[in-house]
């Protein structure tokens, strides 16, 4: 059994990332950012890049930190806590994981690389039909996360993985449910491309992404729970704090228990991905199947237990709700991951 | 002078040396178990001289596996769950050296089974309301009252007992904790039949039962604090066991699913996979909790383990019956019996389904556990209490 706790280095890393996000990524900024055209917030993203935490699992000789996905998972927890509008998932997780799996980490020297698949794609799912004719790609990939930041787009086509210069694609931004993680449609019309790996690199990247996204869901759920508890202690109705009513108390107790479980599941998945454990596919699917629902529940309870204020644009609860619901669909729904688990655990349907 | 506790390699060496000197096939089981206790290889995290080596708790599973591999006799924890899970840790933290000398070894070997005389007809969730009286009499106490839901009282040699020693103070302050001899005159154990048909639990009438003061655990009036320690251990004992993937009730249902394709339905599959995920999450949470304990940093997650355990057992055993369809309509046996062991996954699907209903009641109901998590872990305000500062004798009953 892998180590499910946090090490000292991870605690320090967490503190560093949290303080950066506290300084650059307050709720007011995040909220204001959702109403601009900027695809992401520059200050926190530049800060993360400068800290080196966007390249933790990349080997040192490829310009990375030579750490692992375990530490990256801690960064994702913090990004979830802050609903940070940064292109970390698309670039530092999915893109980087695809390049590492393809043995092409050198591509990162040019700048961020983003995996061009619809954000809803689960490991093993079919990908959009993009044709590779000689050295040129043609086709459309819809709902790609974080495409705007890509110096390189990593595009699955004809059963392989290709690298395309970001400027060679037509990128159309769409209005997303979660405006803190912008989606775009990517159109390729004979774009020059270089084959860098096989389809297995895509599956590996999506599996890593599933494990890491669960960490974001954990951080998000934990923050929602904290906000809710703080409110239950200070809001009085009928002459008592509303947190003294069992109807609310018991629900947050259950939620806390669920979040504690999510932490164990997330740590297990991060450990498996980091070490290339034989149980990685199970661990990642388990993480998504378990954490998606918990993050959504935490965000929904946060809205409900705040009453009218929780329903306003000014209160941050909706930022979490939108991120949580999008995350629940991203990289495969919980139902999709349960189906994967059924196969992995040899529990066939009917 | 203190020496460092032995590490895994040293413990392994001691187990090997013990097995070399005590052939499990030749030494009679009782003698073998006593010798294992005396060698400190019973529960290695207990102190030296108390069946342990003062080692890390995490070292125990390897020891148990080594003894099992060697074909050594076991101490049958399923027959003495209250003794091993609750009485022993409470004795260790609150007992005198004489009490530890007297009680721990036969408890661990299984020669003496224990039960728990806590609940009463008027005091369940509100255990501190209990009214069984213990009155000082020379160098001992005389106890009168009625206990109820006492599991395995019919098998027990000893009981942990909480009784009221001062009715004039508020309820939490007037209780004292005792060890009660279940063979003493005035102890009357009567079976209480459960919804499963059998009688694991009993009602116990205590009439003029004499308990020597040397069998008191903790100070007079300090019974609530000692009882709280017992209850914390109880919840860990019920919900916190280490298990492999697909262990326990989940394993029962996944086996059924694989071995009998005709029970499979789409809805059943959906339910099964949801529960598979939940069970695995609960298992990893238990594992993480044990890693924190081993690192000397016990997390509060333990208080939630029993909540998850109860829910999972109930859902899984309910699903098993539904998958079985027509077979699920039958029951194995309604005959009234007094079992000698507690094992939630034994007997038949119908039994498992019914027995699981007790999991959210015994050892603190799920409602009470949620309140405990909300107040002690999350710091939410307490319930409105009308009983806290009122002398016990003046409380409405
Ligand atoms: C199989 C089994 C074995 C047992 N073995 C033992 C044993 O060996 N020794 C022993 O001492 N006891 C034993 N018990 C007793 C057990 O601890 C009690 O049944 C339990 O604590 C509940 O008490 P009660 O039955 O009086 O129910 P009550 O306390 O009357 O509860 C009734 C209902 O009210 C709810 N409730 C009560 N107070 C509150 C509140 N403040 N807020 C919200 N809801 C509340 C409860 O959750 C429950 O749903 C056993 C019970 C079972 C089922």
């Amino acid at each position: 059994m892998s180590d499910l706790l946090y090490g000292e280095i991870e605690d320090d890393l967490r503190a560093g990332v949290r303080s950066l996000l506290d300084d650059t990524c307050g709720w007011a900024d995040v909220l204001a950012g959702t109403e601009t055209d900027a695809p992401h917030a520059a200050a926190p993203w530049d800060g993360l890049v400068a800290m080196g935490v966007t390249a933790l699992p990349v080997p040192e000789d490829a310009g990375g930190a030579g750490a692992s996905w375990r530490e990256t998972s801690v960064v994702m927890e913090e990004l979830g806590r802050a609903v940070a509008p940064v292109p970390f998932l698309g670039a530092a997780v999915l893109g980087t994981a695809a390049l590492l799996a393809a043995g092409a980490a050198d591509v990162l020297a040019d700048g961020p690389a983003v995996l061009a698949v619809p954000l809803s794609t689960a490991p093993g799912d079919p990908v959009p039909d993009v044709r590779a004719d000689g050295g040129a790609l043609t086709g459309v990939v819809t709902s790609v996360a974080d495409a705007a930041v890509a110096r390189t787009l990593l595009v699955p086509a004809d059963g392989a993985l290709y690298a395309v210069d970001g400027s060679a694609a037509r990128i159309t931004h769409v209005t997303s449910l979660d405006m803190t993680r912008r989606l775009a449609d990517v159109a390729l019309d004979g774009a020059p491309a270089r084959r860098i790996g096989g389809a297995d690199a895509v599956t590996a990247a999506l599996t890593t992404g599933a494990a890491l996204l669960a960490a974001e869901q954990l951080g998000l759920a934990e923050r929602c729970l904290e906000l809710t508890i703080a409110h239950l202690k200070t809001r009085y109705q009928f002459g008592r704090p509303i947190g003294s009513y069992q109807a609310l108390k018991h629900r947050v107790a259950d939620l806390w228990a669920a979040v504690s479980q999510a932490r164990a599941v997330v740590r297990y998945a991060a450990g498996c991905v980091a070490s290339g454990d034989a149980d990685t596919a199970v661990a990642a699917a388990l993480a998504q199947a378990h954490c998606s629902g918990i993050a959504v529940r935490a965000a929904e309870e946060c809205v409900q237990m705040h009453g009218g204020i929780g329903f306003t644009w000014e209160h941050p609860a909706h930022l979490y709700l939108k991120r949580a619901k999008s995350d629940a669909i991203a990289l495969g729904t919980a139902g999709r991951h349960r189906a994967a688990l059924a196969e992995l655990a040899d529990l066939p349907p009917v | 002078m203190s020496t460092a506790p032995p590490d895994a390699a040293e413990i392994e060496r001691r187990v090997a040396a013990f097995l070399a000197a005590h052939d499990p096939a030749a030494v009679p089981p009782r003698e073998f178990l006593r010798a294992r206790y005396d060698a400190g290889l019973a529960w290695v995290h207990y102190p030296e001289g108390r069946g342990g080596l003062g080692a890390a708790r995490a070292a125990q599973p390897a020891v148990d596996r080594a003894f099992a591999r060697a074909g050594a006799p076991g101490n049958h924890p399923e027959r003495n769950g209250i003794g091993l899970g609750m009485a022993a840790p409470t004795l260790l933290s609150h007992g005198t050296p004489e009490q530890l000398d007297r009680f721990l070894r036969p408890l661990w070997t299984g020669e003496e089974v224990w039960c728990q005389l806590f609940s009463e007809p008027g005091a369940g969730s509100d255990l501190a309301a209990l009214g069984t009286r213990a009155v000082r009499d020379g160098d001992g106490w005389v106890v009168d009252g009625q206990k109820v839901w006492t599991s395995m009282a019919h098998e027990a040699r000893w009981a942990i007992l909480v009784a009221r020693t001062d009715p004039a103070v508020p309820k939490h302050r007037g209780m004292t904790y005792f060890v009660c001899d279940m063979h003493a005159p005035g102890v009357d154990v009567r079976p209480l039949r459960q919804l499963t048909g059998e009688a694991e639990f009993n009602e116990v009438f205590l009439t003029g039962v004499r308990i020597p003061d040397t069998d008191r655990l903790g100070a007079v009036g300090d019974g609530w604090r000692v009882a709280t320690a017992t209850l914390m251990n109880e919840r860990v004992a019920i919900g916190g066991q280490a298990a492999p993937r697909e262990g326990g009730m989940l394993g029962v249902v996944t086996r059924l699913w694989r071995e009998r394709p005709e029970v499979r339905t789409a809805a059943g599959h959906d339910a099964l996979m949801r529960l598979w995920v939940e069970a695995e999450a609960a298992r990893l949470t238990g594992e993480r909790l044990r890693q924190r304990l081993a690192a000397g940093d016990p997390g509060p997650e333990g208080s939630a383990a029993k909540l998850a355990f109860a829910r999972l057992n109930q859902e899984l055993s309910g699903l098993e019956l539904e998958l079985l369809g027509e077979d699920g309509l039958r029951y194995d046996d309604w005959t009234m019996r007094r079992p000698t062991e507690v094992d939630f996954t034994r007997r038949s699907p119908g039994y498992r389904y019914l027995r699981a209903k007790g999991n959210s009641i015994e050892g603190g109901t799920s409602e009470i556990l949620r309140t405990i998590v909300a107040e002690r872990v999350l710091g939410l305000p307490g319930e409105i209490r009308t009983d806290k500062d009122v002398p016990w004798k003046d409380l409405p009953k």
Side-chain angles (χ1 to χ4, degrees):
Chain A
M1 175 62 67
S2 60
D3 179 4
L4 302 177
L5 309 180
Y6 298 100
E8 238 171 84
I9 294 175
E10 289 167 313
D11 291 342
D12 292 347
L13 175 67
R14 181 193 299 286
V17 172
R18 188 172 295 186
S19 120
L20 169 76
L21 295 175
D22 283 348
D23 291 345
T24 59
C25 201
W27 287 324
D29 303 326
V30 176
L31 183 63
T34 64
E35 296 187 278
T36 70
D37 288 335
H40 68 259
W45 177 242
D46 294 346
L48 292 166
V49 173
M51 278 177 79
V53 301
T54 54
L56 289 170
V58 179
E60 276 166 295
D61 58 21
S68 81
W69 293 112
R70 267 182 75 93
E71 293 81 18
T72 314
S73 175
V74 173
V75 179
M76 282 292 272
E77 284 182 34
E78 290 303 310
L79 297 175
R81 283 181 66 92
V83 273
V86 292
F88 196 92
L89 177 67
V93 178
L94 293 171
T96 300
L99 288 174
L100 290 175
D106 56 301
V107 171
L108 285 170
D110 299 336
V114 170
L115 183 65
V117 293
L119 182 59
S120 52
T121 313
D125 272 358
V127 289
D129 207 11
V130 176
R131 266 181 307 115
D133 288 326
L137 298 191
T138 302
V140 175
V141 187
T142 50
S143 306
V144 176
D146 305 327
V149 81
R151 281 301 301 268
T152 309
L153 283 163
L154 304 173
V155 187
D158 285 347
L161 182 64
Y162 289 82
V164 176
D165 196 279
S167 62
R170 189 157 36 79
I171 293 176
T172 313
H173 290 281
V174 302
T175 305
S176 33
L177 173 66
D178 172 16
M179 286 298 274
T180 66
R181 176 170 286 141
R182 303 289 177 104
L183 303 180
D185 295 340
V186 173
L188 301 159
D189 189 5
R194 178 164 70 91
R195 186 187 189 283
I196 57 164
D200 49 340
V202 179
T203 308
L206 292 170
T207 303
T208 301
L212 277 276
L213 182 64
E216 175 177 301
Q217 291 167 320
L218 165 63
L220 183 157
E222 190 182 50
R223 190 79 185 97
C224 287
L225 181 61
E226 284 171 15
L227 284 173
T228 306
I229 290 169
H231 185 68
L232 294 185
K233 287 178 184 170
T234 48
R235 167 74 176 166
Y236 277 65
Q237 286 293 279
F238 304 96
R240 306 156 51 174
I242 55 173
S244 64
Y245 296 107
Q246 279 193 356
L248 304 186
K249 214 166 167 171
H250 284 188
R251 268 153 59 193
V252 288
D254 277 337
L255 191 56
W256 173 82
V259 171
S260 313
Q261 291 190 332
R263 187 176 306 287
V265 166
V266 161
R267 284 272 86 191
Y268 181 64
C272 284
V273 170
S275 65
D277 194 282
D279 205 34
T280 298
V282 171
L286 175 77
Q288 277 304 297
H290 190 67
C291 298
S292 291
I294 291 170
V296 171
R297 197 170 110 209
E300 289 177 348
E301 290 287 46
C302 186
V303 171
Q304 175 65 20
M305 294 195 198
H306 276 81
I309 189 89
F311 196 68
T312 61
W313 186 260
E314 282 71 30
H315 194 277
H318 69 98
L319 296 170
Y320 290 96
L321 178 66
K322 293 163 187 173
R323 172 67 71 83
K325 197 64 189 175
S326 304
D327 278 1
I329 299 166
L331 306 181
T333 61
R336 172 70 184 79
H337 286 284
R338 285 195 294 270
L341 282 171
E343 208 172 307
L344 291 163
D346 183 28
L347 292 164
V350 187
Chain B
M1 199 192 83
S2 73
T3 48
D7 61 9
E10 169 61 14
I11 295 172
E12 201 184 315
R13 198 193 58 72
R14 291 196 197 189
V15 171
F18 181 88
L19 284 167
H22 303 79
D23 178 1
V27 183
R30 175 169 298 185
E31 217 175 287
F32 184 95
L33 288 167
R34 288 177 178 174
R36 180 176 160 185
Y37 180 95
D38 294 337
L41 297 170
W43 31 35
V44 293
H45 53 287
Y46 271 49
E48 271 182 66
R50 304 287 176 222
L53 300 169
R57 187 182 283 267
Q60 186 66 32
V63 173
D64 290 335
R65 279 196 300 274
F67 276 101
R69 261 198 316 276
N75 63 341
H76 296 289
E78 69 282 359
R79 291 194 199 146
N80 198 13
I82 287 171
L84 292 162
M86 292 158 238
T90 310
L91 283 163
L92 191 64
S93 53
H94 294 91
T96 62
E98 295 72 30
Q99 289 169 335
L100 298 183
D101 284 342
R102 167 63 189 89
F103 294 124
L104 280 184
R105 188 169 86 162
L107 184 162
W108 184 81
T109 62
E111 289 163 66
E112 292 178 349
V113 169
W114 287 63
C115 68
Q116 178 189 18
L117 292 170
F118 280 23
S119 304
E120 296 181 7
S125 299
D126 184 12
L127 179 62
L130 61 84
T132 291
R133 287 281 279 126
V135 177
R136 191 81 207 217
D137 179 38
D139 58 358
W141 300 80
V142 176
V143 180
D144 285 279
Q146 183 194 345
K147 295 290 179 175
V148 74
W149 325 127
T150 319
S151 303
M152 295 296 139
H154 52 286
E155 292 285 306
R157 178 68 183 79
W158 299 100
I160 43 180
L161 164 74
V162 193
R164 185 150 310 277
T165 41
D166 187 354
V169 296
K171 62 183 182 180
H172 289 91
R173 282 185 250 149
M175 288 174 284
T176 303
Y177 198 117
F178 299 96
V179 171
C180 176
D181 181 352
M182 291 298 285
H183 292 177
V187 177
D188 180 14
V189 178
R190 302 180 198 165
L192 275 175
R193 199 172 180 192
Q194 296 163 202
L195 78 181
T196 54
E198 60 180 20
E200 225 174 76
F201 56 36
N202 304 271
E203 48 187 347
V204 178
F205 295 86
L206 304 165
T207 315
V209 177
R210 278 203 66 88
I211 297 182
D213 193 50
T214 48
D215 285 350
R216 172 168 48 79
L217 217 53
V220 174
D222 211 19
W224 182 248
R225 202 168 62 85
V226 186
T228 304
T230 305
L231 295 175
M232 297 300 275
N233 284 308
E234 175 171 33
R235 282 153 204 168
V236 173
I238 296 181
Q241 303 298 350
R245 181 174 285 168
E246 291 194 12
M249 203 71 91
L250 178 63
V252 172
V253 186
T254 53
R255 251 191 319 281
L256 172 69
W257 188 269
R258 292 194 186 103
E259 287 167 9
R260 294 188 48 190
E262 75 277 11
V263 306
R264 298 175 191 168
T265 62
H269 194 249
D270 185 53
L272 174 62
M273 291 319 298
R274 283 175 193 276
L275 292 167
W276 196 96
V277 167
E278 272 191 54
E280 182 63 8
R283 188 182 77 85
L284 288 170
T285 308
E287 181 60 35
R288 184 162 197 274
L289 183 65
R290 277 184 294 281
Q291 288 185 8
R292 286 186 74 168
L293 267 174
D297 172 31
E301 287 91 343
S303 17
K306 192 191 161 255
L307 272 175
F309 173 83
R311 213 186 87 76
L312 276 166
N313 268 3
Q314 293 176 350
E315 297 276 324
L316 282 162
S317 58
L319 175 61
E320 186 192 10
L321 269 191
E322 277 183 43
L323 290 175
L324 285 169
E326 188 186 330
D327 287 351
L329 296 172
R330 297 162 188 246
Y331 194 68
D332 57 352
D333 186 3
W334 292 114
T335 311
M336 156 68 186
R337 292 206 172 81
R338 302 178 88 180
T340 58
E341 59 174 61
V342 179
D343 176 358
F344 305 138
T345 58
R346 75 198 163 96
R347 274 183 61 173
S348 63
Y351 173 84
R352 289 192 277 273
Y353 170 73
L354 294 174
R355 181 59 185 84
K357 295 295 169 238
N359 294 157
S360 53
I361 302 171
E362 59 200 317
T365 70
S366 290
E367 290 76 21
I368 293 298
L369 290 183
R370 288 189 187 97
T371 298
I372 289 176
V373 167
E375 293 179 9
R376 307 223 185 117
V377 181
L378 306 180
L380 287 171
E383 309 279 301
I384 301 287
R385 301 286 299 257
T386 52
D387 57 349
K388 259 208 131 91
D389 302 315
V390 182
W392 178 83
K393 61 181 170 46
D394 301 331
L395 285 171
K397 294 190 183 75

